[in-house]
Structures are given as C-alpha cells and as structure tokens.
Amino acid sequence: MPVPWFLLSLALGRSPMVLSLEKLMGPQDTARCSPGLSCHLWDGDVLCLPGSIVSAPGPVLVPTRLQTELVLRCHQETDCDLCVRVAIHLAVHGHWEELKDEDKFGIAADPELEEPRNAFLQAQVVLSFQAYPTARCVLLEVQVRAALAQPGQSVGSVVFDCFEAALGAEVRLWSYTQPRYQKELNLTQQLPALPWLSVSADGDDVHLVLDVSEEQHFGLSLYWNQVQGPTKPWWHSNLTGPQNITLNHTDLFPCLCIQVWPLEPDSVRTSLCPFREDPRAHRNLWHAARLRLLPPRGWQLNAPCSLLAEATLCWQAPGGVPCQSLVPPLSRANVTVNKTLELPLLNAHPNLCVQVSSWEKLQLQECLWADSLGALKDDMLLVETRGPQDNRSLCALEPSGCTPLLSRASTRAARLGEQLLQDLQSGQCLQLWEDDLRALWACPMDKYVHQRWALVWLACLLLASVLFLLFLFKKDHVKGWLRLLKEDLRAGAAPRGRAALLLYSAEDSGFERLVGALASALCQLPLRVAVDLWSRRELSAQGPLAWFHAQRRQTLQDGGVVVLLFSPGAVALCHEWLQDGAAASAPHGPHDAFAASLSCVLPDFLQGRAPGRYVGAYFDGLLHSEAVPALFRSVPVFSLPSQLPDFLGTLQGPAAPRPGRLGEKAKQVSRALQPALAQLLQAPGAPGAPGDCTRDGT
C-alpha cells in the first residue's frame, strides 16, 4: 500500500537520511553480486523446505551473515512502499581434496581446463521472508571460480531487492542452501513505527497515548491477532486530535494488538502488539481459557489467543488422588485453540480426563462426560502390553504405580489379581483403547466392594449379638446406667445449638463493636458462635489462615454455617481476589481472618460447594444489596436488621422455633444491634453520615 511521505518522515525521522533513501522504480525483484561472483534470481517464489542437514562432500558455498537495508519501491515518483533489501554474505565451507569426480562436489568442470581449481563452485541459496501477513521464499543461484575460493574465507555477497513490508512490522529472515550443509541463518528486525503511538503502564491501568495534531483525523482499532485463525476485532473508533485511552489490566492478552491509521485515501495502517511478553496478559489468557469436552469423543480448548500448551489423557481415580497420565498420550504438539479435536478412544468412561499443561505446570483439567456418565467410578484400570507370539502382560494402574497382576504386593490390585484376570477373560471389563502393542481396560470393582461390606455387616451382627448376651447377663448394671442417664436429662442438660462462624473485614473499631454485638446476641438463641474477636490469643499464636481453617473445618463438620458479613472493605477485598488472587493473598492485618479466608472461601463459591454451607449478610445503611459481588449471591444474603427473622431462621436451620417465637428473638437481636449501628452510621466518613457526598456504599 502506498506510504504517504509525511508518514515516512514521521517514522524514519527528520534527518536528511529520509530524503536519501534509495528508490527502486518498478515492481520487479532483482539480484546482483559483488565482483568475482555471478548470480541468477529464479522467476517467482519457491516453497520454503529447508530439509535435513547433510555432510558437505567437499568445498561448498554457504551463507554466513545477513544484512538488511531500508529502501523505497516506487511505482511513481511519490507513490512508494517501504521495502527491505537483504545482503547475503557467502564463504567456502569444507576443504580441498583430490577431486576425481567434480560433479560430486557441486563443481562445474571447465572442459578446457584439467585442474579442478579452474572449475566453479555453485550454490543454490534460499532466502525466506516473513512479516505478518506476508511470507515469501526466493531462490538465488550463485557461482564463483574455484581458484578464488579459499576454505573458511568470504568470497563476496549477493544482494536481493526487495521484500515489501509495513511500518512497524516485525521482519524475520532465514537463509540456507539446497541441499543444506549447516544450520540456517536467521535475523529478526523491527521496522520503524509511527512515533505518535505509545503504550505506558500506570498501576493496574494501561494508557494508549496518541500524540497527533488537533486537526488530525485517524482510526483506532483494537483486535486479537489469532495466528490459528482470522483476526478478531474487539473495539474500533474514529478519533480526532490527541487521545489518552485507558485499558484495565484484565483486558490485556498476548495477542491484543493496536492498529492506527490516518483517515485519508490509501493510508498505511500501523499495527503494534505490545503485550506479547506481558506476564499479566499471559495470566489473563489462562484465566479466560476453557476446556470443553464434546460428545461423542471430541474436545476443544477455547481461548482468545494461541497457547503454548500440551494436552494429555489421564485417569482420575476417586478419593482426590492426582490424575495419572495414560498411554496413548495426546499429540505432544502445541494445542490448536478453538478447534475440535478427536480423542483416540474406543469407549467413554467418566474417569478419563484431559489435562492441559504449559511449561510443565498444570493449567486446566476436565473429566470426560461427567454430566452424561455421572460421578467418578471405583473401577480398576488395567494396562495390557502385547509382545511377540501372543505373549501379553497385565498391570493395574494404582496411585503407587502400575502393579502387575498375580504379584505379591500388598495393594488392592495384587490381592484381587486372579479375580480381575477372570473378569477380563469373561468380558466384564470395558475396553477403552488399543493399538498393536498396548490396550486399556476398565474393570468394575463394585462387587468386590459389596463383598467387603458384607463382611463388615457380619462383624457388626456378631458384635451386636455379643452385646445382647452381655446385656442379658448384666441387665441390673445396664438398668442402673440408664437410670443415671435419665436423671442427667431431667437435670436440664441444654441441647447444643448450631455452630456459626462469623467472618468480617476488620476495618475500624466501630465496625468491630457492631460485629461483637451481633455475636453476643446470636449466642442467646442459642447458637455456638465463633468469631476472631473472642479468639485473639489463638489468632496471634496460630496466624489468621490456620485459625480460619481449623474453625471452618470444625463448624462444617458439626453441621454449622459460615456467615460472611459484607462491608465496603470486605467487598473491595473480594473484588481484588476475583481480579487477581495473588494480589490479595496477604492478610491486611495481624487479626484479619476475612482476608486470610478468601483463599478457601472463593473456591467453594467458584466450584458450587457454597449452598448450604455459607450465608451472607450486610448492615442497613452501610452497604447496598447491589454492592455484594454476584458470585456470593448463590447463597442467601440478608440485610440486617431489616431481615433478621429470615436470617435467624436460616442460621438455626431445622431447629428454628415457630414463627412467633422467632419474631421475638429477632426483636431482641435488633435491640442489641441498634446502639452500635447508630454510632457507626453517625461516625465521620460513614455512608449516610452528614457531609458524605462521595460514597454510595459500593
């Protein structure tokens, strides 16, 4: 596309060098050589096929260095394109020996001369060029008189005119001979870009600064440059004058590119992809990637950009053990994103999973057909290895490795080796995959589990019989024990209330007093309340994270509930975690259990385990209901004290009293909260306080 002169001036500077760029008239490619060489450029482009490296049979010409220069290819005097001129420096590779067959060494014999040194060395040199979206390969034939060629010394250079490229493009060059006697040369060069487009970072924001005159009209486009597919536009606008456009760091991806062009006829479009090496962009890309499994045996990795990743097939046994890699592995080549791929399987099984890893780090895992085939099965995977003369061996895949059947190991597979072998021979196992040397079988273990439980039931019945006999012989002692138990119950031993763990963000002393008032009121319901206000000594000794893990585990084991008390500070912490977990992983204070708990709370919500375990609440006047992040609305969220009856009923669960009694309890709790809540709302800077005109509770 023609490049306007004022754009070339901007890109290449205001020095006289701009005006002294050599102009090449006409569209034809040409080649010329230094003195002592003769060269010829083949018509048209050739295929880029480097081939394997072969040994040089004698002295040969090879490229040793690539050199580039910017020139202009002009169709008319002021209608020019930027072009890359390439100079290939050549040298002699190999040593002279007694040459009995000149053709064997790539030497063209001179019939008038008997000495091989009077012949010629010839070479076919391939020059490859890439600058998105252009790729070309040209072939140059070079010849030098053998008498002028000294091993290891340069014999001159050949110059090719030229490869067209756009301003700001990244140019990649390769050169090698056919046949190839050494590793190909390569050179990467960034062509000048328009200086009025720059990218800068400011904390979590990224600024696109376009420094142009106020009268300049230009177009700006943001797009995803997908190598494995067409570009995907994201945002486009026509603008005027200088601009400062802000992007959030969560919008960055490695393939996010910026394209700018003046709104003039035949204007050049300058593209810039500044986030290819940005760690935040690569982190966002993996957060946006999704692994989908498609019936009957297809899978697909969806992502905005291409990913440097590998996929493997693995077997996920129940019990939370790591997924074990299987043969056959999927292709170890880079995964093609947004393309449906086929799994090499004969039958589906819920324990078969696909893992996607990058730089040996597991990024994604999805188990096949979990929705259609149900939960993981307690099946045993047998690996069959086939040898010559119909010999075969079998082993069972277990967490400790592949255990041979009929072995003396102390694993479950070894103990049931004979039964599993009989199941396989009788056709009770499902074949998942096979080739000429190996096969995979899934054998059900349900009947062996049932046999084990039958033995357990027999043992329980035997124990019950023994206890019954003891009861008959010692009935007087048993009656005395029952009488003492009855007296204890009549003495008024109160039933234990449901456990409740309160989590909040310790923003200031006023909010802590409000939380303390709520905790004290809930203890009168009765509820067994745990809150860090009452456990400061344990919190300091164990640390916030360890204290929260212990309290959460005990609360959930007792059938209790975790209460998330949302405040402006708690909402801010949640947003930080949802945007970038590493940024919010450190607690904000020595006793801030809420910040420490997010590493465990958020996965429960993201994986759908929160309902029935968590309840949310916020205080009237401190926060609006819309401020609670949408992720946490998968569980009931109550406003206090306006929704206290429903809140208390949810906390007490099935043991909640009748509605009239529950209303009385709600009034008691509300009266306990009012003084602390009123004092907090009247504090300077609180939402709704006099003079507060900037905050809306979000």
Side-chain angles (χ1 to χ4, degrees), residues 186-256:
N186 64 80
L187 175 67
T188 301
Q189 181 178 2
Q190 186 75 41
L191 298 187
L194 297 183
W196 39 267
L197 171 61
S198 63
V199 180
S200 62
D202 182 14
D204 287 342
D205 295 329
V206 175
H207 298 286
L208 309 181
V209 181
L210 296 105
D211 186 14
V212 298
S213 64
E214 295 184 358
E215 300 82 12
Q216 179 69 56
H217 302 276
F218 59 91
L220 176 67
S221 175
L222 300 178
Y223 64 95
W224 292 332
N225 183 19
Q226 296 177 317
V227 176
Q228 298 168 342
T231 60
K232 229 178 139 181
W234 181 45
W235 183 83
H236 168 81
S237 182
N238 293 332
L239 304 171
T240 302
Q243 298 285 336
N244 190 333
I245 299 171
T246 301
L247 299 177
N248 192 282
H249 72 95
T250 57
D251 297 327
L252 304 185
F253 292 105
C255 63
L256 180 62

Side-chain angles (χ1 to χ4, degrees), residues 85 320 371 461 488:
R85 168 183 288 167
D371 295 334
L461 289 175
D488 288 342

Side-chain angles (χ1 to χ4, degrees), residues 7 21 33 161 196 242 269 387 428 472 477 504 551 606 657 695:
L7 290 180
L21 283 180
C33 306
D161 287 325
W196 39 267
R269 295 197 175 204
Q428 299 182 40
L472 293 178
H477 296 283
Y504 69 99
Q551 295 295 329
L606 292 170
R695 296 177 59 183

